[in-house]
Amino acid sequence: MPGIIEVENKSKRFLEIPGVIGYVVVSNEDGTMISAGGKIPNAIDETVAFIGSASDVITTTLQTGTLDYVVASGDRNLLLVVLDKYFIGCVYNGEPEHIKTEILDLLKEGDKTGDPKILRLFKAKAYQLNLILEEFSRDIGIKVWETFISQVISAMDTEKKFQSLIKVSDGKIIPIGAINLTAEDVNKFMKVLIDAVVKHGVKKFGSEEAKKRVHNVIEKLGAAKKKVKNG
């Protein structure tokens, strides 16, 4: 498992895991909070440190072997992942075993950040596409679009440059890195993807309705830029 600093950096991506509402990472040595994010109750770091320490005592006393995660149910569902140097607590909805696996897989990943400027470009383009998906999913739901997007990405990413750098979750395109990508790669890939979504929207809603929804996106982008400019 990675060290404390790497976990602190990667923990921000726990919120990308479907079902994770909030998280906290604490040291299992002194209960110090290392990182936190999302919607979490007060003093969750103390709760996670207490349950994590108690799990060590229980397994030692009962000789049940090592616990790799603990689930606590109440007003909120809490998943505690027990690791060598830290405890990870997640407030969640969904299947805890799946979430635990996703967390461990994320921590095992190598650094995919790449050039920060390219990653920012990638995220900006993804934001535009996500606004279009939000508009096009009105009245028909997002699942149709998730399936379509996944199919298009699979078909167009013939060189497998983006396969491990992009995630489709909850109706959104989530860039998770930009390693080995250039600005040209990102612009070309996202243009083809956006064009494919718009064309599919025309087929579903007709030209006029699709244009209205795209116009709504353009207005949202313009308002966002104006807000940033005015501070």
Side-chain angles (χ1 to χ4, degrees), residues 8-194:
E8 183 177 3
N9 292 334
K10 288 186 174 182
S11 64
K12 298 172 184 177
R13 290 178 49 203
F14 290 162
L15 295 176
E16 297 172 8
I17 299 173
V20 174
I21 299 170
Y23 72 89
V24 64
V25 181
V26 301
S27 166
N28 69 359
E29 293 181 357
D30 57 11
T32 303
M33 185 168 69
I34 298 166
S35 179
K39 297 178 180 179
I40 53 177
N42 292 331
I44 187 177
D45 54 323
E46 296 177 13
T47 302
V48 168
F50 175 78
I51 296 175
S53 298
S55 69
D56 286 341
V57 175
I58 292 170
T59 54
T60 300
T61 303
L62 300 181
Q63 297 182 338
T64 57
T66 303
L67 280 176
D68 59 357
Y69 74 102
V70 176
V71 175
S73 297
D75 293 337
R76 299 178 180 86
N77 293 324
L78 177 65
L79 167 67
L80 172 69
V81 181
V82 181
L83 298 173
D84 291 339
K85 298 179 180 178
Y86 35 80
F87 303 129
I88 299 170
C90 290
V91 178
Y92 74 94
N93 288 318
E95 174 53 51
E97 175 71 25
H98 173 73
I99 293 174
K100 180 211 73 171
T101 300
E102 290 260 355
I103 288 173
L104 295 180
D105 286 347
L106 192 157
L107 293 175
K108 290 175 184 175
E109 283 182 359
D111 184 12
K112 297 179 180 180
T113 302
D115 186 333
K117 292 182 180 179
I118 304 300
L119 183 55
R120 283 196 294 272
L121 171 65
F122 198 2
K123 288 182 176 181
K125 295 294 182 180
Y127 174 70
Q128 295 174 16
L129 178 55
N130 288 335
L131 288 179
I132 295 174
L133 289 173
E134 184 180 297
E135 280 290 326
F136 282 1
S137 65
R138 281 193 293 113
D139 309 322
I140 64 172
I142 197 61
K143 290 298 179 183
V144 174
W145 289 101
E146 280 189 1
T147 301
F148 175 74
I149 282 289
S150 296
Q151 290 172 343
V152 173
I153 291 174
S154 178
M156 65 187 285
D157 188 22
T158 55
E159 297 181 10
K160 306 300 181 186
K161 283 187 176 183
F162 290 84
Q163 191 175 56
S164 64
L165 301 177
I166 193 168
K167 186 175 182 179
V168 182
S169 177
D170 295 331
K172 294 183 178 180
I173 305 301
I174 305 171
I176 59 177
I179 193 166
N180 297 325
L181 295 180
T182 65
E184 183 180 359
D185 290 331
V186 171
N187 283 323
K188 183 178 179 180
F189 179 83
M190 294 305 296
K191 182 180 185 306
V192 173
L193 199 52
I194 289 172

